[in-house]
Structures are given as structure tokens and as C-alpha cells.
Amino acid sequence: MNERFTGKNLLELPQDFSVVQIETTDLNPTRDQIIEIAANKYRKNKFKKAFEWDSEEDKNDLRDALSQLKSFIGKDTIVINCTAFFRPFMGNAFVNNLGEPFSNDIVDIQRLFRRIENQKSARLSHMIKFYKLSTSHNLKANEDIKSVEGIYLALQKDFEEHFKSIKELQPQSSDFRLKDVPGDPAKNDKNNAFYDKYVSATGKLNAYTRREVAQMINNIGGHFQKKPGKKTNYLILGKLEKGASNKLERAKELPNVKIIHEDDFLDMVAGYEWA
């Protein structure tokens, strides 16, 4: 499978960045389309210029809009809200329209918020309320982008007040106990493909840490496993550093395991707000 998104998902707080917000026809990235794009470029945390595209108002089609966006953001790190939504939609759009993956690194305000503020919820509406912002969540790219950048700047301020080094935000270990990532029944989604399914993962994951994937699966109402076994339904396949994986070989021997690429996994959770 060709990669659709090659950038890294960073836990950092750069002061030179571009904020990008998109709106789509619905929440299935393999079927639905991007209809609005808004982007704001910042240097040293100061706004420099903006880019906007609306399919209903702009004469340019999505292909032209993505080409313009690519030139606008250059090699910037992109600040976004919700990797599971942004990455599959933008990755699919770039591959389908420009014939190449989306390659910029991203910073997800949801992931930063959970680490810096230690909050159970990182939904956009909750973050807006938490920081007492006057912005809104109206499902309009050129309006919601104001909330994303306001939250990001607030995160920078709180980080400086409560942390000494960016290393404190990085996962200290790839290992974790399953009992430390219990699912939240209030976030169960019986309509999701992973509900009541047993899921494991192998290889290096790019979008989320293994622990975050475990939390997402358990929140949906599934069962994350550290190793595939007889009950396993899905094995999420990340990048294999040495070209082999004992978990992958084990999964191939099991009768009911469906092996899916990390990008396919993100397609399947794009409409789910796990945070």
C-alpha cells in the first residue's frame, strides 16, 4: 500500500508554523470530500498571511486548491485539530489529486492538550471552554481555525509556566499496562468497526503512540491486545524497521485476523472523537 501521509506527528511547540483547518462533506475519508480549507501562516507566533478556499465560492477546484495550499505552507510544521480526522482526509486528497502523499509534519492540539493540561476530554468545544476563548466551533474552516490557533497559543503559554523541557511531553516508554488504558463506556461507539473486536498492532506507528491507539480502541468498546491471539480480529501494521515482525508472522497463522495498514486504521476511526 502506498503511504498517503509521510509527515511525523510531533509533540512539540514550534513558534514558526502554519495552522490548517478543513471541512468535509461527511466523516468517511474514502468516500467524502474536502469542501473548505483555511490556513494561517505564523512566524515567531505572529500572524503573517492567510489562505482560504471554499468549494461553493471559489472557481478553482480541489486539485488547484491543494496545489496552492502546498505552495502556501511550504515545509512548515502544520498545527491541526485531531490527527484521526485530518491525516486520512488530507492524505487521501493529496494522493488522489496531486499524486503524492502529504509530507508536512503535524502538531495536534488534542494530543498536546491531554499532556499539558491533563484533561480527560480534548474535544474542540471543551478546549474552547477550558481556555475561555471567544471563538466558536461552527464547522466552518475560516471560523474554526481561529479556535485552533487560539488553543495552540494558550498551550504554549501553559507549557512555559508548568514545564521545563519539551522532553517532558514525550512518551517515556513504549511499554504500558493494559489496565492503565481502560475504555470509557461513555465513549463507546457500537457503529464503529472496532466495537467489541480484538485489536493488536505491530511495527512503528506514525500517527499515534501504541498507548494512544490502545486507548482509542478501548474507548470505542473494543479490546486492545499487546500480542495477537486466537481472539484477534485486526492487526494494525505500522512500519517494520527490519522488515519482519513476530506479531505479523503470528497473525498470518491465525484464521480470523485481518491485517490492516495504519492508514486504513485511521480511515476507520476518522469520524470517531476518541479524545
Side-chain angles (χ1 to χ4, degrees), residues 1 73 113 123-124 201:
M1 177 180 177
I73 61 179
F113 186 77
R123 294 188 177 189
L124 189 61

Side-chain angles (χ1 to χ4, degrees), residues 39-206:
N40 288 337
K41 185 178 287 289
Y42 277 75
R43 289 296 179 266
K44 295 183 179 179
N45 284 344
K46 300 294 184 183
F47 171 79
K48 290 299 181 182
K49 56 182 178 178
F51 168 82
E52 288 186 15
W53 175 78
D54 187 324
S55 60
E56 294 185 354
E57 300 178 2
D58 203 304
K59 294 181 180 179
N60 294 331
D61 60 13
L62 179 59
R63 186 190 303 271
D64 290 334
L66 292 172
S67 180
Q68 292 173 25
L69 176 68
K70 180 183 175 183
S71 297
F72 179 85
I73 61 179
K75 296 182 179 180
D76 279 5
T77 296
I78 309 302
V79 174
I80 58 106
N81 175 57
C82 188
T83 298
F85 172 77
F86 180 89
R87 175 171 161 153
F89 269 103
M90 190 59 78
N92 286 348
F94 262 62
V95 168
N96 293 337
N97 289 277
L98 302 182
E100 61 185 68
F102 189 84
S103 60
N104 294 64
D105 293 340
I106 61 173
V107 169
D108 184 348
I109 59 172
Q110 282 192 349
R111 299 181 80 221
L112 287 175
F113 186 77
R114 291 171 69 92
R115 283 168 168 75
I116 293 174
E117 307 297 0
N118 195 28
Q119 292 284 301
K120 291 184 178 180
S121 174
R123 294 188 177 189
L124 189 61
S125 56
H126 176 75
M127 292 188 285
I128 292 170
K129 184 177 181 181
F130 181 87
Y131 290 122
K132 299 179 181 179
L133 300 179
S134 60
T135 56
S136 58
H137 184 196
N138 292 330
L139 301 179
K140 293 289 293 181
N142 61 358
E143 295 182 16
D144 288 349
I145 193 172
K146 299 174 184 176
S147 296
V148 176
E149 58 195 14
I151 291 165
Y152 180 65
L153 295 174
L155 282 164
Q156 287 192 357
K157 181 179 178 182
D158 279 10
F159 171 80
E160 291 176 357
E161 291 179 358
H162 301 294
F163 295 85
K164 294 181 179 179
S165 169
I166 198 69
K167 292 182 179 180
E168 296 178 62
L169 299 183
Q170 311 302 321
Q172 298 303 306
S173 172
S174 60
D175 194 24
F176 62 92
R177 299 175 299 178
L178 289 177
K179 68 178 184 179
D180 292 334
V181 287
D184 183 349
K187 295 179 180 179
N188 284 182
D189 182 359
K190 294 183 178 181
N191 295 318
N192 190 279
F194 296 116
Y195 180 80
D196 202 27
K197 294 297 189 294
Y198 290 81
V199 184
S200 189
T202 188
K204 185 176 181 180
L205 302 178
N206 191 9

Side-chain angles (χ1 to χ4, degrees), residues 18 28 74 83 112 160 185 209 258:
S18 287
N28 187 324
T83 298
L112 287 175
E160 291 176 357
T209 64
K258 184 175 182 179

